[in-house]
Amino acid sequence: MGIFFYRAAGTTYLCSGAGGAATDWHANLLANPDFTFHLKKGIRADLPARATPVTDPAERQAVLTEIVADLNQPHDPGTIRPTRLEDWADSRLMRISFRHRP
């Protein structure tokens, strides 16, 4: 399973997507929460960042609800099946904060 970046309520999140199976990226960020966020397309930059697991049920619900609502928008109708919030309930979810370089 891959990694999914999403902006919700002005914050960046990393998400495993529907399912919730264990992922290498999630385990790596739990062990080493400080990392470098590499931007490769358009603006190129290396941004110091920190990952924090999202465990608060209200925050998880709000973020996953926004993700699912966006995925169900008709950006390209007929290309994906409708996404259901309950399929995303166990997703690995990390909040990303960016730190200023010294």
Side-chain angles (χ1 to χ4, degrees), residues 14-99:
L14 299 178
C15 184
S16 62
T23 62
D24 288 342
W25 68 262
H26 187 261
N28 288 338
L29 288 175
L30 285 174
N32 303 292
D34 294 315
F35 71 104
T36 301
F37 197 98
H38 298 287
L39 297 175
K40 299 177 184 178
K41 305 278 185 197
I43 296 172
R44 294 176 181 265
D46 292 334
L47 306 172
R50 181 168 186 83
T52 304
V54 179
T55 56
D56 175 64
E59 182 180 4
R60 287 184 59 81
Q61 177 77 20
V63 171
L64 294 173
T65 296
E66 190 168 330
I67 290 171
V68 168
D70 185 66
L71 291 172
N72 283 326
Q73 293 299 309
H75 299 295
D76 193 0
T79 59
I80 63 170
R81 289 182 288 187
T83 302
R84 301 175 324 149
L85 181 58
E86 56 267 21
D87 294 337
W88 287 68
D90 294 326
S91 297
R92 305 287 192 234
L93 188 62
M94 293 271 194
R95 182 183 333 99
I96 305 303
S97 56
F98 294 99
R99 297 173 289 137

